Amino acid sequence: MDWKRIGLVSAALVLATTAATACGNNNNASEEASSSPAQSSSAGSGGDEIVDVEVWGTNIGYKPVEKGSKLYEFYKEKLGVGVINPYVEWNGGTNYLNQLNLKIAANEMPDMFTPQQGIEDSLAKNGAIADLTELLPKYAPNVMKVIPEEMWDIVKANDPTGQGRIYYIPGSVDYGRYAGMIRQDWLDKLNLSMPQTQDEYVKVLEAFRDQDPNGNGQKDEIPTGGRQEARWMDHLFAMYGVAMFEGYPDWDLYNGELTYSAVTPNMKAALEFAAKLYKEGLLDPETLLNDKAKWDGKVNSDKAGNYFHWVEQNNLYLENLQKNTGVKGQFTVLPVQKVDGYEGFYTWKRVGPPQWVVKNTKDEKKLQAVLKLLNNMYDKNNWKDLYLGVEGMHYEMKDGKAVKLPDDKSTQENQILNPYSSSATLDFTVDLFNSTASADNKWIYDQVTANMEEAQKYAKVIAGDGLPASIYEGYADINNRTLYIEYASKIIMGKYPIDKFDEFVDKWNKSGGEDVTKRAREWYSKVKK
């Protein structure tokens, strides 16, 4: 994927959107909604008319939600709005962003969607998305209640127009969500202890490579790995104290100053270690070619001993591993490995990325339907039902108890509305899993919830938590990590010696990194101190 090209295309498409929407000033939507006497403040839409809205967000391979489908009817009944969620390939957000840009350029922006790569800043400045500052308290107060006030303060501080307005609904996470996961059953089979240091970890990976822990008589095990663009192997960087978020270098304090982790000595050491693993066959040789489906397929086919992801989605891997191979696997949180001279951690961001933005439209019914949808989906009384989904598709009744069915992308429609995940607490999520587990899958959810608790030991909130994408304005290549991906990938594969890292840092600074760093530090001095 040519990220430089996409960055330029994105900017052009935003301009196209501005002309097409003809929104005038940014407050149009707010003024129109506030002045409409026919709207109900409790529901956000007058009467019983069902209005359909198009919603775009994460879909990792499930069926779309189409008008009249089972999940459409469920949302209509539960939330009072018709939700259309077309299938858009996600693949880490790369393909999704490309398709979203094309829709925007064609003046077909979804009514509500999850923005990516800071696109919400340009859309807000050009009046293409709604100013929610007055709309949410009046028509969707449940959203305001769920998300802590201090996070709204950060959203307002991050307003790209400089007016302190709300243009997006943030995710909010009150617990560490990420960790490396390692096959405990493979460790047990090979009589290995859980590694605590980097040297011990390498020995475990060597044993996974050489001692046939999956027992099929073939040397097909992949000790560890990741995905395209050097992503989703944060556990290899965590031990060096590198702030990474799903494989994206992030911002933290280094030598007392807010600094982009990609240009730190910590990153240099981490890349050198990853290159060593790659050279010795301990890192999947296809790591830099794997898309999500390919890497997940390796984990789910009893091939991979160690991966990095959301701990609370471990159930999907366990379910698919058993379905594909018959193996009842056991995953445990991999502790952050100790490396002399470094303080390691798994990155935790309390302020999640922008979760939803709303199209700025003069169609009052459509706007009010979106606000009604938001208000009802953020009503915590609806969260368990939204998690369960459609009976017979996403869950079934057993002995009078609703229990989740195994993951099945071929039959299940995409549960696009998931505030229980984007804004939930650890206790709520653990209770949700435990209360919907069945006798058949309790062994899975016991693992998941225990691992969620364990992951908290290694989670650290980074200093760049809540940093706005606007710091990258004018520097699309830095925002898209173009230079980082090139150098990190070539260093890991051995095409570049580790000394080339210094060349990368110099180029990064000269191509806008110094300006971006100045902006980031100015933001930090205002918001964080």
Side-chain angles (χ1 to χ4, degrees), residues 94-362:
T94 301
N95 294 357
Y96 170 88
L97 178 59
N98 194 22
Q99 293 302 309
L100 180 61
N101 278 329
L102 292 174
K103 291 288 284 187
I104 292 172
N107 193 26
E108 297 174 353
M109 182 189 294
D111 300 303
M112 185 174 89
F113 60 94
T114 302
Q116 285 285 295
Q117 294 292 319
I119 192 176
E120 69 279 358
D121 282 359
S122 296
L123 295 174
K125 286 193 289 188
N126 289 300
I129 54 176
D131 178 348
L132 302 173
T133 315
E134 280 81 36
L135 292 174
L136 291 179
K138 186 170 184 179
Y139 298 110
N142 286 326
V143 181
M144 303 300 293
K145 293 176 185 176
V146 164
I147 296 170
E149 184 176 354
E150 60 268 23
M151 294 191 184
W152 289 119
D153 290 340
I154 291 175
V155 172
K156 292 176 182 178
N158 292 349
D159 173 12
T161 71
Q163 302 300 310
R165 312 295 289 178
I166 295 173
Y167 282 97
Y168 66 84
I169 297 169
S172 59
V173 184
D174 86 330
Y175 57 95
R177 207 164 224 172
Y178 299 86
M181 305 300 297
I182 192 165
R183 285 291 292 272
Q184 181 66 53
D185 48 339
W186 284 16
L187 292 173
D188 294 343
K189 182 176 181 179
L190 301 179
N191 295 314
L192 297 169
S193 299
M194 179 66 70
Q196 303 293 327
T197 69
Q198 185 183 87
D199 288 343
E200 292 172 356
Y201 176 64
V202 171
K203 289 178 181 178
V204 164
L205 296 184
E206 290 172 344
F208 284 178
R209 179 192 63 192
D210 300 332
Q211 298 181 31
D212 192 27
N214 67 14
N216 66 357
Q218 302 176 37
K219 195 171 182 179
D220 59 354
E221 288 84 356
I222 300 167
T224 193
R227 284 158 48 182
Q228 296 164 325
E229 301 178 352
R231 292 188 63 200
W232 292 104
M233 46 184 174
D234 300 27
H235 55 298
L236 304 182
F237 299 85
M239 61 184 79
Y240 289 96
V242 176
M244 297 284 276
F245 187 76
E246 299 182 354
Y248 296 128
D250 218 305
W251 296 76
D252 201 14
L253 296 180
Y254 296 91
N255 294 323
E257 290 191 295
L258 190 68
T259 305
Y260 189 50
S261 68
V263 297
T264 62
N266 307 59
M267 176 64 81
K268 183 176 183 179
L271 289 173
E272 186 175 22
F273 176 62
K276 176 185 175 183
L277 296 184
Y278 187 89
K279 182 178 180 180
E280 296 178 1
L282 301 177
L283 188 67
D284 181 9
E286 296 182 320
T287 287
L288 299 169
L289 301 174
N290 291 329
D291 60 12
K292 175 174 174 57
K294 190 170 185 179
W295 177 233
D296 283 356
K298 294 174 180 179
V299 178
N300 295 335
S301 60
D302 204 24
K303 297 287 195 335
N306 176 213
Y307 75 95
F308 178 89
H309 209 266
W310 289 32
V311 179
E312 64 205 67
Q313 291 191 351
N314 189 212
N315 62 299
L316 301 179
Y317 293 95
L318 289 167
E319 290 170 0
N320 286 307
L321 176 62
Q322 184 181 32
K323 181 171 65 176
N324 294 338
T325 68
V327 173
K328 293 180 71 172
Q330 183 180 359
F331 281 101
T332 306
V333 169
L334 175 73
V336 174
Q337 303 298 286
K338 296 174 183 173
V339 182
D340 289 343
Y342 298 92
E343 292 292 330
F345 59 89
Y346 289 131
T347 295
W348 172 12
K349 296 175 76 170
R350 284 196 178 99
V351 182
Q355 192 68 27
W356 301 111
V357 295
V358 176
K359 177 181 178 180
N360 193 6
T361 177
K362 294 181 179 179

